[in-house]
Amino acid sequence: MRKTLAWFGVLTVIGYLFSTCLVQVNEDELVLITQFGSPVRVVDKAGLIGKLPDPVQTVVRLDRRLQAIDSDLGEYLTRDKKNLVISAFILWRIDDPLKFLQSVKDNQGAEQRLIDLSGSELGAAIGNYTLSSFLTTNSDETRIPEIVNSVTGKCRTQAKEEFGIQVVGIRLRRLGFPQQNLRAVHKRMRAERERMAKKYRAEGKEAAAKIRSQTDKEVRELLASTYREAQIKRGHGEAESVRIYAKAFQKDPDFYKLTRTLESYGKFLDDKTTLILSSQSPLFKYLETPPDE
Amino acid sequence: MNEHSDFARTFQHARPIIAGLIALSLVFYAASGLYVVEPEQRGVVIRFGKVVDDRVMPGMHYHWPWPIESVQRPRTTEVRSLAIPFRDNGGKNIDAGELLTGDENLVQATLLIQYIIKQPKDYLTSTTDPDAVLKRLTQWSSIKHFAAMSVDEVLTTGRDTIQRSLKRNVQRLADEHRLGIRLTSVQLQNIEPPSANGVASAFKSVASAREEKHKLEQDAAGERNRRLPKSRSDAESLLRDAEAYAKEVVEKAQGDSERFLSVWREYRKAKNITAYRLYLEAVENIMPRAKKLIINPAAEQAGPTGRPQEPRHRQANRSLPDLGNSFLSQHSTKNLQK
């Protein structure tokens, strides 16, 4: 019976030592081991580690994962005195557990410090740039990455030195105009659009007129040159016919005159014509004086 | 001693049962390491807190029982989606707001992103909230992107480009921060100008003006396309007309001259007779149609000799070759007889 109890005792001690001397470190944790309250080492690799039993060495577990917090929505003034409403987010993780615990204690404290820090750095940085550094239609001219990188750089150094925090990045999650400016912005947008609409309509008319007049020009030019060609062809034909006529008629101009004149009589004397004929005309020679038989 | 022997005896009695129970619980303990990974899952095996394998394929597997190993089974093939609104909400909420474009215009949109888990280990262990980080990275990418584009680019031509480059950018950022995800799609939905203060309708009227411009141009071009071929065909027919005319006059001239020559060749053989015959035929042709008034100048005029007629006589004689008297008389008599 006593022997059994002794066994129980031994087992309990072994179990206790196992549970307190072996520490499981998860992937998402940083473990700080302290000896009588003073830190002895930081474990940043997941797996099983050993330490002295509990009253001697204790374990503090911290989250090593990347976290995101948002800064408050703030109104900032650019160098050319334009208001911008900006909210940033900060990606951070615990870098130095000891410093972290000593300076900010927990995540809440850390977040508040980071928000304050980034807010003031953002304000300072934005004041150095004009609005066109933020808003530009030429993507080569945008300075936004440069601005946030400089803010990140400054915050990173300070957060690392003072809070044991690694600032991975400070970026914007909101960029806008202040609410009280919206009406003016909308009005400007509308005016711009109305101007564009007018421009499009005018351009349309202009383009159509241009096409029409170009068409007119081409049609007229084509008809004119066609007329020229046609006349030349006609002329050639007529010249040829003149030559042919002349060649034929030259053989006996008198006979030509006779036949042609007679032919033309048939054409221009019609039933509206009144011929006043002299009875002494040769035509009536035999009418008045019959031939002597 | 007696007690002890009692205990021992009882114990001895129950020994097989206890041994059986212990053995059974050992078996159960060992069997607790069996696990199944469903087709849509990947198994992540964790040994003493350390991830030793994050790509256990679907099927039946075994891990060392607790407390040595444990398993997580994220659904890696499941497509997760995240809707990120960029809309006016009265300026109170930092979670969403209209986007600013490079030419100081505002646009609203909703961005829908979809992703699957690419690296289970990273997805599970590198951030406190992958969705929250991903959402912010997407917002950042969008802000940066829109701030470098004009509103017209955004609303008309740029949508595909924006989607593609946002996807690329966000994926790069996600990889940089080891979110362990792969974006499958980034979609911009309902990109539109703000609806307040008549801005949206002003944008619409630009769109319709653009349409109108296009239509005016199209109409003019259509008219041109009708008119040019028409004028070409007109020109063609004018030319053919002229060619036909040229051919016509030449043929006519040839015909006429041939005819003339044929007649002339015969005429040459009997000049006087033929000329007079031709003359009379012409007269016959004309006379029936024309009104005739035959006067006797000698009788009507005071002049006794009829001098005025004499030149005409002569002219007639000149222009007509000598006319055979008998010939004329024959005709005249015929006419008179009719």
Side-chain angles (χ1 to χ4, degrees):
Chain A
M1 185 68 199
R2 192 167 292 155
K3 204 169 144 197
T4 321
L5 280 176
W7 269 113
F8 258 118
V10 169
L11 273 177
T12 315
V13 169
I14 288 173
Y16 171 73
L17 285 178
F18 253 105
S19 71
T20 183
C21 289
L22 288 177
V23 177
Q24 176 177 320
V25 181
N26 291 324
E27 293 276 1
D28 55 4
E29 284 176 334
L30 281 176
V31 164
L32 177 69
I33 294 167
T34 59
Q35 189 164 331
F36 300 120
S38 64
V40 279
R41 62 184 172 123
V42 174
V43 182
D44 61 356
K45 280 210 166 65
L48 207 59
I49 57 158
K51 71 168 181 63
L52 296 178
D54 209 352
V56 186
Q57 287 193 336
T58 49
V59 157
V60 183
R61 293 172 185 276
L62 288 170
D63 198 332
R64 70 182 298 190
R65 289 177 294 177
L66 187 69
Q67 314 197 30
I69 44 147
D70 299 325
S71 77
D72 300 325
L73 198 62
E75 210 172 306
Y76 297 92
L77 214 57
T78 61
R79 203 175 67 196
D80 48 351
K81 305 291 171 245
K82 299 274 169 57
N83 284 307
L84 278 177
V85 167
I86 284 177
S87 160
F89 64 93
I90 304 143
L91 294 173
W92 64 283
R93 64 162 64 91
I94 298 168
D95 182 55
D96 182 344
L98 186 60
K99 212 177 261 176
F100 180 81
L101 287 172
Q102 283 167 349
S103 58
V104 297
K105 290 189 182 61
D106 54 12
N107 280 6
Q108 248 184 331
E111 284 171 0
Q112 197 47 56
R113 297 292 185 86
L114 284 173
I115 288 172
D116 295 345
L117 184 61
S118 66
S120 63
E121 290 295 346
L122 260 179
I126 291 166
N128 284 332
Y129 291 91
T130 56
L131 185 67
S132 60
S133 313
F134 291 86
L135 304 177
T136 166
T137 47
N138 181 351
S139 55
D140 297 333
E141 282 170 14
T142 180
R143 312 285 287 277
I144 299 178
E146 180 186 320
I147 295 165
V148 297
N149 283 342
S150 89
V151 173
T152 306
K154 282 179 184 150
C155 291
R156 183 177 283 154
T157 322
Q158 204 175 342
K160 191 177 171 80
E161 281 169 8
E162 292 179 18
F163 315 132
I165 286 172
Q166 182 198 358
V167 172
V168 175
I170 295 175
R171 308 272 180 255
L172 306 184
R173 66 175 305 205
R174 174 102 167 78
L175 175 68
F177 291 126
Q179 201 67 17
Q180 64 271 16
N181 294 5
L182 281 189
R183 183 177 283 276
V185 172
H186 287 159
K187 206 174 147 195
R188 174 173 54 71
M189 286 174 74
R190 207 177 57 216
E192 247 173 54
R193 290 298 117 182
E194 279 157 6
R195 209 161 49 234
M196 278 182 75
K198 262 190 211 133
K199 188 175 134 243
Y200 277 129
R201 294 208 166 89
E203 277 176 3
K205 279 182 192 135
E206 186 195 342
K210 212 165 159 186
I211 295 171
R212 285 218 174 82
S213 52
Q214 176 68 23
T215 313
D216 272 346
K217 172 178 168 257
E218 282 174 33
V219 168
R220 283 172 61 185
E221 280 175 0
L222 179 66
L223 289 182
S225 71
T226 311
Y227 179 77
R228 178 175 52 81
E229 264 182 71
Q231 289 303 81
I232 289 171
K233 283 181 198 288
R234 276 171 214 263
H236 285 327
E238 279 166 351
E240 176 71 7
S241 83
V242 167
R243 192 185 61 77
I244 294 166
Y245 277 129
K247 193 180 157 204
F249 297 156
Q250 258 167 8
K251 294 199 170 162
D252 191 343
D254 282 342
F255 180 65
Y256 169 66
K257 282 176 197 157
L258 165 68
T259 51
R260 191 64 188 82
T261 312
L262 290 178
E263 193 184 321
S264 66
Y265 286 163
K267 282 178 185 158
F268 66 74
L269 298 175
D270 59 7
D271 55 358
K272 292 193 186 76
T273 319
T274 305
L275 286 172
I276 301 172
L277 300 166
S278 164
S279 58
Q280 289 175 350
S281 119
L283 202 56
F284 300 118
K285 182 180 169 190
Y286 297 107
L287 190 67
E288 287 196 336
T289 53
D292 301 326
E293 292 282 336
Chain B
M1 200 65 207
N2 204 11
E3 266 179 36
H4 180 249
S5 66
D6 272 359
F7 180 81
R9 204 165 38 248
T10 323
F11 191 71
Q12 221 165 18
H13 212 69
R15 187 172 270 171
I17 303 172
I18 288 167
L21 281 175
I22 287 171
L24 201 66
S25 59
L26 275 175
V27 167
F28 271 113
Y29 175 68
S32 72
L34 282 172
Y35 66 99
V36 171
V37 178
E38 304 284 345
E40 73 274 15
Q41 301 171 332
R42 289 292 179 277
V44 180
V45 180
I46 300 160
R47 184 183 302 151
F48 295 123
K50 184 179 170 62
V51 174
V52 289
D53 186 359
D54 69 345
R55 304 201 157 270
V56 181
M57 290 313 210
M60 184 87 173
H61 300 279
Y62 184 78
H63 68 79
W64 285 97
W66 182 90
I68 302 166
E69 285 187 348
S70 65
V71 156
Q72 286 194 11
R73 280 165 288 187
R75 302 159 71 87
T76 49
T77 57
E78 183 183 67
V79 177
R80 288 146 209 259
S81 58
L82 212 55
I84 300 165
F86 293 99
R87 291 186 180 277
D88 185 27
N89 49 17
K92 299 283 179 287
N93 192 352
I94 58 167
D95 211 33
E98 287 162 328
L99 283 161
L100 268 179
T101 61
D103 49 1
E104 298 178 41
N105 279 256
L106 297 162
V107 286
Q108 330 190 56
T110 300
L111 200 61
L112 197 71
I113 58 179
Q114 295 188 316
Y115 68 92
I116 56 172
I117 299 172
K118 183 175 70 176
Q119 294 284 345
K121 180 187 167 191
D122 287 345
Y123 183 76
L124 293 173
T125 63
S126 68
T127 62
T128 47
D129 184 350
D131 275 6
V133 175
L134 182 60
K135 178 176 178 179
R136 283 165 180 76
L137 292 176
T138 312
Q139 284 171 328
W140 157 243
S141 280
S142 315
I143 286 172
K144 209 168 46 159
H145 209 86
F146 277 68
M149 289 177 90
S150 74
V151 69
D152 294 299
E153 252 181 303
V154 168
L155 290 177
T156 53
T157 52
R159 178 191 294 235
D160 279 348
T161 328
I162 298 170
Q163 288 180 170
R164 247 179 288 125
S165 81
L166 276 184
K167 189 177 170 192
R168 203 169 48 234
N169 259 322
V170 176
Q171 181 68 61
R172 193 172 51 74
L173 288 171
D175 291 344
E176 215 171 90
H177 295 102
R178 303 183 48 164
L179 295 189
I181 57 145
R182 190 166 66 80
L183 287 178
T184 54
S185 85
V186 171
Q187 276 181 305
L188 266 175
Q189 292 180 331
N190 314 321
I191 312 186
E192 56 200 10
S195 44
N197 297 324
V199 177
S201 61
F203 269 85
K204 275 199 196 95
S205 87
V206 171
S208 70
R210 203 183 287 124
E211 293 276 301
E212 210 172 287
K213 173 187 171 187
H214 191 64
K215 189 173 178 303
L216 283 172
E217 283 173 1
Q218 290 290 304
D219 285 355
E223 196 186 305
R224 178 185 168 80
N225 288 343
R226 275 194 312 279
R227 281 184 63 192
L228 285 184
K230 168 93 169 58
S231 69
R232 275 196 293 271
S233 80
D234 285 355
E236 192 68 14
S237 80
L238 278 177
L239 274 184
R240 295 292 93 83
D241 208 41
E243 279 165 10
Y245 170 80
K247 181 81 179 160
E248 237 167 51
V249 290
V250 169
E251 293 291 332
K252 188 164 174 291
Q254 260 159 0
D256 285 352
S257 59
E258 282 302 319
R259 178 182 167 193
F260 174 81
L261 289 175
S262 311
V263 174
W264 173 70
R265 274 191 287 274
E266 292 311 311
Y267 158 80
R268 249 195 326 186
K269 293 174 188 161
K271 274 189 180 177
N272 285 351
I273 294 301
T274 311
Y276 202 78
R277 183 180 58 79
L278 289 174
Y279 166 73
L280 282 177
E281 272 175 10
V283 168
E284 275 170 21
N285 233 341
I286 302 156
M287 284 305 179
R289 275 185 280 142
K291 298 192 188 86
K292 292 163 285 286
L293 191 61
I294 303 170
I295 53 166
N296 187 343
E300 262 182 32
Q301 274 176 4
T305 49
R307 272 180 68 90
Q309 281 78 38
E310 207 175 345
R312 225 194 280 172
H313 244 303
R314 272 219 296 272
Q315 206 170 3
N317 281 337
R318 250 207 320 276
S319 64
L320 295 174
D322 279 351
L323 305 173
N325 284 348
S326 59
F327 184 74
L328 183 65
S329 85
Q330 268 180 7
H331 275 265
S332 307
T333 25
K334 250 188 217 167
N335 269 355
L336 285 172
Q337 278 164 354
K338 270 184 196 169

